Amino acid sequence: MTLRIAEIFGPTIQGEGPLIGEPTVFVRAGGCDYRCSWCDSLHAVESQYRHTWAPMTDQAVWDEVRRLSGGQPLTVSLSGGNPAIQDFAPVIALGRAEGYRFACETQGSVARPWFADLDTLVLSPKPPSSGETVDWAVFADCLSAGKGARQVVMKIVIFDETDYQWAKDAHARHPQLPLYLQPGNPEVDPDSPVDPQSLADRLGWLTDRVMADGWFAPRILPQLHVLIWGNKRGV
Ligand code: SF4
């Protein structure tokens, strides 16, 4: 099996969602079925970068994760792009045999049987500001596929009031899913500095908005890696 891999890096900390702060090696898959207006991973999405994606066997991917982690089992995060458009079942099997844990973040547009083999499945449906439209039937298929995973959560990036109201609807569709909200970062150029005050202001706005509604279901988190390293890649 050959996988298209944009980058493998780490260990570093997971910067988002339920595993925030956890030491992690990232396997970033190349290719995505979405084109979100504010995508911060275009190097793993647009076909113009395809020549930078390495065709790697399952074993080669696994050997690199093991090298980076020094053979110490930790969490491996499958990200992208959309990792769900490729078959990561063999990589997960190789890693689990050595005691590693696996997480995957995907928008929920493609359901895969290997979701059941994950420790953490983060389904991140994209709100209106992305310019994409969620197919909720396929999202439900993803939930079904992930039934065997240790935890399944929903994470939504919020840029504005429209996204916020959309997130409330999304939660109402799947109230059983732990929900993580994250303010969007409009500064996605890896070569441009981020403005920490602007990030804090967005986090403050979202927190105030949720509290004013008396809506206590979500956890509200920043993108920790952006606070530390800005938009730099591979950290
Ligand atoms: Fe980028 Fe994720 Fe949207 Fe794909 S789903 S375009 S990787 S933000």
Side-chain angles (χ1 to χ4, degrees), residues 32 34-36 38-39 45 80-81 107 126:
C32 188
Y34 275 19
R35 292 291 181 279
C36 299
W38 33 253
C39 178
V45 171
Q107 61 264 46
K126 303 308 177 194

Coordinates of all heavy atoms in Angstrom, one line a residue, residues 32 34-36 38-39 45 80-81 107 126, ligand 1:
C32 N -7.0 16.5 -0.1 CA -8.3 16.8 0.6 C -9.4 17.0 -0.3 O -9.2 17.5 -1.4 CB -8.1 18.1 1.5 SG -9.5 18.4 2.6
Y34 N -12.0 18.9 0.4 CA -12.5 20.2 0.7 C -11.5 21.3 0.2 O -10.3 21.0 0.1 CB -12.7 20.4 2.2 CG -14.1 19.9 2.7 CD1 -14.8 19.0 2.0 CD2 -14.5 20.3 4.0 CE1 -16.0 18.5 2.6 CE2 -15.7 19.9 4.5 CZ -16.5 19.0 3.8 OH -17.7 18.6 4.3
R35 N -12.0 22.5 0.1 CA -11.1 23.7 -0.1 C -11.6 24.8 0.8 O -12.2 25.7 0.3 CB -11.1 24.1 -1.6 CG -10.5 23.1 -2.6 CD -9.0 23.1 -2.4 NE -8.4 22.1 -3.4 CZ -8.3 20.8 -3.2 NH1 -8.9 20.2 -2.2 NH2 -7.7 20.1 -4.2
C36 N -11.3 24.7 2.1 CA -11.8 25.7 3.0 C -11.2 27.0 2.8 O -9.9 27.1 2.5 CB -11.6 25.2 4.5 SG -12.4 23.7 4.8
W38 N -10.2 29.3 4.7 CA -9.2 29.7 5.6 C -8.3 28.5 6.0 O -7.7 28.5 7.0 CB -9.9 30.2 6.9 CG -11.2 29.6 7.3 CD1 -12.4 30.2 7.2 CD2 -11.4 28.3 7.8 NE1 -13.4 29.3 7.7 CE2 -12.8 28.2 8.0 CE3 -10.6 27.2 8.1 CZ2 -13.4 27.0 8.5 CZ3 -11.1 26.0 8.6 CH2 -12.5 26.0 8.8
C39 N -8.2 27.6 5.1 CA -7.3 26.4 5.3 C -5.9 26.8 5.7 O -5.3 27.6 5.0 CB -7.3 25.5 4.1 SG -6.3 24.0 4.4
V45 N -3.0 20.2 0.7 CA -4.3 20.1 0.1 C -4.3 20.4 -1.4 O -4.7 19.6 -2.2 CB -5.2 21.2 0.7 CG1 -6.6 21.4 -0.1 CG2 -5.5 20.9 2.2
G80 N -4.2 16.1 8.0 CA -4.0 16.4 6.6 C -4.1 17.9 6.3 O -3.7 18.7 7.2
G81 N -4.7 18.1 5.1 CA -5.5 17.3 4.2 C -6.6 16.6 5.0 O -6.9 16.8 6.1
Q107 N -12.8 16.0 8.6 CA -14.0 16.8 8.6 C -15.3 16.0 8.6 O -16.4 16.5 8.8 CB -14.0 17.8 7.4 CG -14.0 17.1 6.0 CD -12.6 17.0 5.5 OE1 -11.6 16.6 6.3 NE2 -12.4 17.3 4.3
K126 N -17.1 21.6 9.0 CA -16.6 23.0 8.7 C -17.8 23.9 8.6 O -18.8 23.6 7.9 CB -15.9 23.0 7.4 CG -14.6 22.1 7.3 CD -13.7 22.3 8.5 CE -12.5 21.3 8.5 NZ -11.8 21.2 9.8
Ligands
SF4_1 FE1 -7.9 22.4 4.8 FE2 -9.1 20.8 6.6 FE3 -10.6 22.3 5.0 FE4 -9.2 20.2 4.0 S1 -10.9 20.1 5.5 S2 -9.3 22.3 3.1 S3 -7.3 20.3 5.3 S4 -9.2 23.1 6.6

